[in-house]
Amino acid sequence: MSIFSTLGQLLRDLAQQGGSVVETLVERVRTAFSGDRETRRRVAFSVAMIALSAKMARADGVVTPAEISAFRRIFLIPPDELQNVFRLYSIAQQDTAGFEIYASRMRALCEEPPADGEEGCALLVDVLDGLFHIAGADGVVHERELDFLAAVAERFGLTAAQFERIRARHVDGGEAGAFAVLGVDPNASHEEMRRRYLHLVRENHPDRLAARGVPAEFMAIATERMKAINAAWAMVGRVAVS
């Protein structure tokens, strides 16, 4: 069964059970895939991206064609499954529960231990990266969107340094931003910076992303992430040896 068909089943369960949308949705994801960690994490990623994208659009007040296009690039949705995805999007937009509750509950579904040298849950970093990608699709991450993303990051339990690294990948910050992308101190040695760069390359390899539940569609964003990392290293590496 595809992820989108699975979403359709979750939505039917919501209609039958009633009650709080977010509580019912999270509980269904938790219990329906308790014996299948990989599928559970793929569904959790998809639900988080769709629901929080809807909440971000509501917070910003404007949904641009570029943002819709970016959303569609993340999820290459079969035509016969479109209604499931956009039904969940609509439900999340209309739900009276705030995005804080969605973000907190999605965090609870994340059981992936942090990778070496990283804090928190790697899958939540992927979700926030995807939200930044959508927010910046029209050429700029607006102030209200940035406030929303910072609040989501806080609910996810991400550190200020993690948020700054993600923000720097999407908002050009020059040389200072390049150091932030790599997560290195400007005073670090060239070898330390190089080790950090190689660590990020390994962590963002498609096989590593797939292993933590990121759908294949997200690999387009992963490619953009690697472009930012490589560009940062090209700048930082040159500075470090000058």
Side-chain angles (χ1 to χ4, degrees), residues 109-199:
L109 287 176
C110 186
E111 299 175 349
E112 182 79 12
D116 293 341
E118 293 288 342
E119 310 91 348
C121 176
L123 188 61
L124 296 178
V125 172
D126 296 332
V127 170
L128 194 64
D129 216 4
L131 292 173
F132 258 104
H133 178 75
I134 293 171
D138 56 357
V140 61
V141 180
H142 299 280
E143 185 175 349
R144 280 185 294 182
E145 291 173 324
L146 194 59
D147 289 343
F148 173 88
L149 292 164
V152 169
E154 182 178 358
R155 290 286 173 167
F156 278 175
L158 304 182
T159 66
Q162 282 180 299
F163 179 76
E164 180 58 25
R165 287 200 292 272
I166 299 169
R167 188 197 68 79
R169 288 201 290 264
H170 297 272
V171 180
D172 184 16
E175 185 178 302
F179 285 110
V181 168
L182 297 179
V184 295
D185 189 289
N187 296 318
S189 69
H190 181 269
E191 183 56 32
E192 288 175 304
M193 293 180 185
R194 181 175 178 276
R195 283 199 300 268
R196 177 61 182 168
Y197 165 69
L198 294 176
H199 169 79

Side-chain angles (χ1 to χ4, degrees), residues 4 16 26 36 40 49 53 76 94 103 113-114 116 151 163 168 191-192 202 206 212 221 233-234:
F4 304 111
Q16 292 172 2
V26 170
D36 187 346
R40 175 180 171 178
M49 281 300 309
S53 294
L76 302 178
Q94 297 170 25
D116 293 341
F163 179 76
E191 183 56 32
E192 288 175 304
R202 288 193 301 272
R212 65 180 185 243
I221 295 177
W233 171 244

Side-chain angles (χ1 to χ4, degrees), residues 27-136:
E27 186 57 28
R28 282 295 300 152
V29 174
R30 185 191 307 280
T31 58
F33 309 105
S34 58
D36 187 346
R37 181 186 175 99
E38 180 179 352
T39 300
R40 175 180 171 178
R41 294 178 60 71
R42 290 178 64 207
V43 173
F45 175 90
S46 300
V47 167
M49 281 300 309
I50 295 168
L52 290 173
S53 294
K55 289 296 186 183
M56 181 167 66
R58 184 169 183 175
D60 182 48
V62 179
V63 181
T64 68
E67 289 172 339
I68 294 174
S69 178
F71 181 87
R72 294 289 297 273
R73 284 197 299 274
I74 295 175
F75 295 104
L76 302 178
I77 311 165
D80 59 342
E81 299 289 359
L82 274 172
Q83 61 178 357
N84 289 330
V85 174
F86 285 101
R87 185 179 170 203
L88 175 56
Y89 187 95
S90 178
I91 288 173
Q93 269 199 322
Q94 297 170 25
D95 187 15
T96 57
F99 73 88
E100 301 91 346
I101 296 177
Y102 270 78
S104 296
R105 293 296 183 265
M106 293 307 167
R107 177 186 178 184
L109 287 176
C110 186
E111 299 175 349
E112 182 79 12
D116 293 341
E118 293 288 342
E119 310 91 348
C121 176
L123 188 61
L124 296 178
V125 172
D126 296 332
V127 170
L128 194 64
D129 216 4
L131 292 173
F132 258 104
H133 178 75
I134 293 171

